[in-house]
């Protein structure tokens, strides 16, 4: 089954404790993206990647890091999480071309205390 | 980067046609317009996309006027299961084909029995 898998689905942690949210897709897609979703603000793109070792900032990259060492994986790293990063996070992938629909994961709900 | 504006919410009775309009005044020549649907606790799901004029699939129709500064998603004969948030998205193809996308804040559609 074609899918985008995020882990964990839920996480409660404390300020400053490094965490990684993993994202994996099994569709051999070149593009992958991370979004955060907050009430009243919709979905905002954090980082995106065109292919292995190629990443770029989205609209809200501050406080986040990403890496793309393999085509299928695109982890989101919070080196020193803060409460304002409490949010619902989505990973997405799609084939080459901006007019190709994105496939989204089921989301990761992070709470930073 | 084109930004989008949508109504925050809409109500409709079952069986009616629903039209949701999205404004994207600064859309660029190469940008495509896509619409996604999101149910609570799930990632967005692609519905339809277009570049200009009208596009129709088994789920919805998309109307885009000649100036492309807006688009209208049309859902025929909605049912309770169509209650969701609908996002308008404009994709920006930068140099080298990098994908940077902007979601609107979404329109929460409530279908009433």
């Amino acid at each position: 089954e074609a899918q985008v898998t995020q882990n964990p689905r839920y996480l409660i942690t404390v300020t400053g404790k490094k965490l990684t949210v993993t994202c994996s897709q099994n569709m051999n897609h070149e593009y992958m993206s991370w979004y955060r979703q907050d009430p009243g603000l919709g979905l905002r793109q954090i980082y995106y990647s065109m292919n292995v070792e190629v990443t770029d900032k989205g609209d809200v990259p501050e406080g986040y890091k990403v890496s793309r060492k393999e085509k299928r994986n695109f982890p989101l790293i919070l080196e020193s999480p803060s409460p304002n990063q409490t949010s619902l996070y989505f990973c997405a992938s799609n084939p080459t071309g901006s007019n190709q629909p994105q496939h989204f994961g089921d989301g990761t709900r992070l709470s930073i205390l | 980067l084109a930004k989008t504006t949508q109504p925050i919410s809409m109500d409709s009775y079952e069986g009616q046609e629903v039209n949701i309009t999205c404004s994207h005044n600064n859309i660029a020549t190469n940008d495509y317009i896509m619409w996604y649907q999101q149910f609570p606790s799930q990632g967005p799901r692609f519905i339809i996309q277009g570049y200009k004029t009208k596009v129709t699939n088994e789920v919805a129709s998309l109307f885009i006027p000649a100036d492309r500064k807006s688009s209208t998603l049309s859902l025929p004969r909605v049912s309770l299961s169509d209650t969701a948030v609908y996002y308008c998205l404009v994709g920006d193809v930068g140099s080298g084909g990098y994908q940077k996308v902007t979601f609107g804040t979404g329109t929460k559609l409530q279908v009433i029995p």
Side-chain angles (χ1 to χ4, degrees):
Chain A
E1 178 188 354
Q3 59 185 4
V4 177
T5 304
Q6 299 179 223
N7 280 297
R9 293 292 313 280
Y10 305 90
L11 179 63
I12 301 174
T13 188
V14 296
T15 299
K17 186 177 182 180
K18 179 180 178 180
L19 67 91
T20 299
V21 184
T22 64
C23 175
S24 180
Q25 50 96 2
N26 61 0
M27 296 166 280
N28 201 36
H29 287 166
E30 291 79 16
Y31 285 115
M32 297 186 75
S33 299
W34 275 104
Y35 296 86
R36 62 177 290 173
Q37 185 171 34
D38 303 288
L41 297 177
L43 281 142
R44 294 180 293 168
Q45 193 177 44
I46 304 171
Y47 269 95
Y48 62 95
S49 169
M50 195 177 82
N51 215 323
V52 175
E53 302 292 1
V54 182
T55 64
D56 205 350
K57 297 177 181 179
D59 293 322
V60 289
E62 295 77 19
Y64 305 94
K65 288 176 58 177
V66 292
S67 69
R68 188 90 182 273
K69 300 187 186 308
E70 304 169 282
K71 196 172 187 179
R72 63 182 292 127
N73 296 322
F74 190 42
L76 179 69
I77 304 160
L78 285 70
E79 293 273 2
S80 182
S82 62
N84 65 11
Q85 292 177 299
T86 293
S87 187
L88 179 58
Y89 292 85
F90 289 101
C91 179
S93 74
N94 60 287
T96 301
S98 69
N99 60 326
Q100 297 299 315
Q102 296 181 70
H103 298 253
F104 282 82
D106 288 332
T108 295
R109 188 168 291 281
L110 288 183
S111 293
I112 316 295
L113 304 179
Chain B
L1 186 64
K3 292 190 176 182
T4 60
T5 304
Q6 307 172 231
I8 294 174
S9 64
M10 296 179 70
D11 292 336
S12 177
Y13 288 102
E14 273 191 294
Q16 290 189 331
E17 178 185 73
V18 172
N19 295 309
I20 306 174
T21 297
C22 177
S23 297
H24 27 79
N25 292 321
N26 298 320
I27 190 169
T29 302
N30 292 332
D31 286 346
Y32 273 76
I33 300 157
M34 299 184 184
W35 284 80
Y36 285 75
Q37 176 191 56
Q38 186 180 26
F39 298 113
S41 302
Q42 294 184 24
R45 182 176 70 97
F46 171 78
I47 300 176
I48 196 168
Q49 72 165 7
Y51 183 77
K52 61 181 178 180
T53 64
K54 176 184 175 182
V55 179
T56 298
N57 62 21
E58 65 277 6
V59 176
S61 294
L62 179 59
F63 299 91
I64 304 170
D67 65 7
R68 305 202 326 123
K69 293 184 183 298
S70 66
S71 58
T72 299
L73 174 73
S74 181
L75 303 172
R77 297 179 299 281
V78 294
S79 64
L80 294 176
S81 62
D82 292 317
T83 293
V85 178
Y86 292 83
Y87 288 94
C88 167
L89 177 154
V90 176
D92 180 14
V93 180
S95 61
Y98 291 113
Q99 180 182 44
K100 192 170 182 179
V101 299
T102 299
F103 276 79
T105 53
T107 298
K108 187 173 184 179
L109 173 65
Q110 180 69 51
V111 179
I112 306 164

